Amino acid sequence: MIIVTRPGVTEDEIDQIRERVEAMGLRTHISRGVARVIIGCIGDEERLRHLPLLRFPGVEAVHPVLKPYKLASREFAAASTTVPLGPVQVGGAEFVVVAGPCSVETEETTLATARFVASRGARGFRGGAFKPRTSPYSFRGLGQEGLAILAQARRESGLPVVTEVMDPRQVELVAEYADALQIGSRNMQNFPLLSEVGRTRRPVLLKRGMWATVTDLLLAAEYVMAQGNLQVILCERGIRTFETATRNTFDLAAIPVLKRETHLPVLADPSHGGGRRDLVPPLSFAAAAAGADGLLVEVHPRPEEAWSDGEQSLDFGEFGALMDGLAPFVAAAGRRLAQGPPQAAPPADGGSRVSAE
Ligand code: PEP
Ligand code: MN
């Protein structure tokens, strides 16, 4: 249920409403818009039935949230949410490109890629240290050694790092190194994993299951948020259909649908979406025009030598051309695209990044 306040509501009035709702055993979440504040009530709404909420000073309206997802639904927030990725805000005026190799391989290729993508306007660095692979005999990532290389890449490039976590037992370890925890397509409905990342305060990049509907994706986000971690970034990465010309069918329509249904930021992954490097620019341009908040793109210095997903990875020249070509689409969508290196580097990794809050 959400409580919408009148314009000009006072802080005392908000506190009183919260106290009364929380005294009934529910949690509250405050979202501030330009004129109004929305107080989201989380828990057993039956308990509020006898509370004359409309009579409380400052209350304008009380609405049930009819969607199966509550915290993730657009009604729950007064404005679109921005989620921090290190020093960068995802979901705001800036269109955020997160780029890097599919897998962390050698220190040489990883650092070279981080430096290059930073110089061309990427605002986040991606790379998997724990890789979900269809065959158990394929390269499955460097594990903790890969995480250490990512930490070095962050120091040298100034870019915050997104990396995948596949196992609830490794969430704490990966969260020490990552600025955002990626939940991959294959794990989108791994409920223990979703709950575990929900217990951290590290932002989560949640990729759509290749078999999942938009509602399934939003309910997966709800699992994370229900644990108290509201910092979720969604990612459309293509779904399985009868089409075989592309690795996945990139679901462009999911972007505006998600932007309508949720206040959370939405990225697009044109690399897995098409599975071929020639498709990355057109899918990226379309995603920007459709209202995506940014991209997750695979880049490798020598894609033909990549240990995973070389066929869909851009080389440096192709990534530079992508950033140049993207600019007018981003501008047309009313967003800004960074073109040069980040101004201020994020703090070097120091100690545990898991907060107890
Ligand atoms: C990836 O981003 O490298 C990845 C494995 O993606 P997905 O989970 O979408 O297949
Ligand atoms: Mn990949």
Side-chain angles (χ1 to χ4, degrees):
M1 177 182 287
I2 55 165
I3 301 170
V4 184
T5 63
R6 292 184 202 286
V9 65
T10 68
E11 288 305 313
D12 274 356
E13 286 168 345
I14 294 172
D15 287 347
Q16 269 177 33
I17 301 165
R18 288 186 86 167
E19 277 163 27
R20 295 289 298 275
V21 170
E22 287 174 9
M24 306 306 283
L26 284 84
R27 284 186 290 135
T28 58
H29 171 261
I30 300 287
S31 172
R32 293 173 196 275
V34 181
R36 288 180 171 71
V37 174
I38 288 181
I39 305 173
C41 306
I42 308 148
D44 181 4
E45 292 178 4
E46 263 304 292
R47 298 188 187 184
L48 300 180
R49 214 145 60 91
H50 300 295
L51 215 55
L53 288 167
L54 278 171
R55 303 296 298 274
F56 290 8
V59 173
E60 181 168 283
V62 178
H63 300 297
V65 178
L66 298 174
K67 296 284 165 52
Y69 35 90
K70 310 286 177 195
L71 296 161
S73 85
R74 185 154 277 286
E75 296 108 291
F76 207 83
S80 293
T81 293
T82 60
V83 174
L85 176 59
V88 176
Q89 292 295 324
V90 181
E94 188 170 19
F95 185 86
V96 175
V97 176
V98 178
C102 178
S103 315
V104 178
E105 302 173 357
T106 64
E107 195 178 296
E108 181 260 314
T109 57
T110 309
L111 299 188
T113 309
R115 283 191 217 106
F116 181 77
V117 298
S119 75
R120 290 309 316 261
R123 282 294 170 267
F125 185 61
R126 61 144 293 148
F130 294 96
K131 292 302 300 179
R133 300 306 299 276
T134 303
S135 162
Y137 307 118
S138 301
F139 172 62
R140 290 158 69 192
L142 295 178
Q144 191 162 357
E145 189 190 335
L147 295 176
I149 297 175
L150 284 171
Q152 207 180 334
R154 175 175 45 225
R155 276 194 298 275
E156 297 208 5
S157 66
L159 297 183
V161 162
V162 179
T163 195
E164 179 160 354
V165 59
M166 296 198 298
D167 184 328
R169 293 166 298 186
Q170 286 166 338
V171 167
E172 200 173 333
L173 171 73
V174 179
E176 278 180 29
Y177 291 88
D179 294 281
L181 299 166
Q182 177 171 324
I183 301 291
S185 183
R186 293 155 189 80
N187 274 313
M188 194 208 78
Q189 279 188 331
N190 181 337
F191 299 118
L193 181 61
L194 295 173
S195 296
E196 196 59 35
V197 297
R199 282 190 276 273
T200 73
R201 289 299 171 266
R202 182 68 59 231
V204 173
L205 175 70
L206 177 63
K207 299 190 79 174
R208 180 179 181 179
M210 57 189 84
W211 28 260
T213 64
V214 165
T215 298
D216 294 337
L217 172 60
L218 289 168
L219 283 168
E222 192 80 12
Y223 259 89
V224 177
M225 299 171 90
Q227 296 298 325
N229 187 352
L230 301 176
Q231 304 188 114
V232 179
I233 302 166
L234 304 170
C235 182
E236 163 58 37
R237 50 78 73 205
I239 50 176
R240 286 247 165 119
T241 66
F242 52 80
E243 180 58 75
T244 53
T246 49
R247 180 180 180 186
N248 291 288
T249 299
F250 182 69
D251 185 6
L252 183 63
I255 295 166
V257 170
L258 283 166
K259 294 301 291 181
R260 186 189 67 208
E261 290 295 311
T262 181
H263 55 91
L264 298 172
V266 179
L267 297 188
D269 174 348
S271 308
H272 294 86
R276 286 184 1 211
R277 62 167 118 168
D278 61 307
L279 295 179
V280 171
L283 295 182
S284 301
F285 303 159
D293 295 295
L295 300 176
L296 188 67
V297 189
E298 289 183 340
V299 179
H300 192 283
R302 296 176 294 280
E304 62 288 356
E305 292 172 20
W307 298 1
S308 59
D309 283 350
E311 59 293 339
Q312 65 190 35
S313 299
L314 302 182
D315 65 22
F316 289 178
E318 289 163 337
F319 180 71
L322 171 72
M323 293 302 280
D324 292 340
L326 198 52
F329 292 91
V330 170
R335 297 291 188 68
R336 270 196 328 266
L337 180 68
Q339 288 289 351
Q343 293 310 309
D349 193 14
S352 170
R353 290 169 157 255
V354 182
S355 99
E357 192 248 319

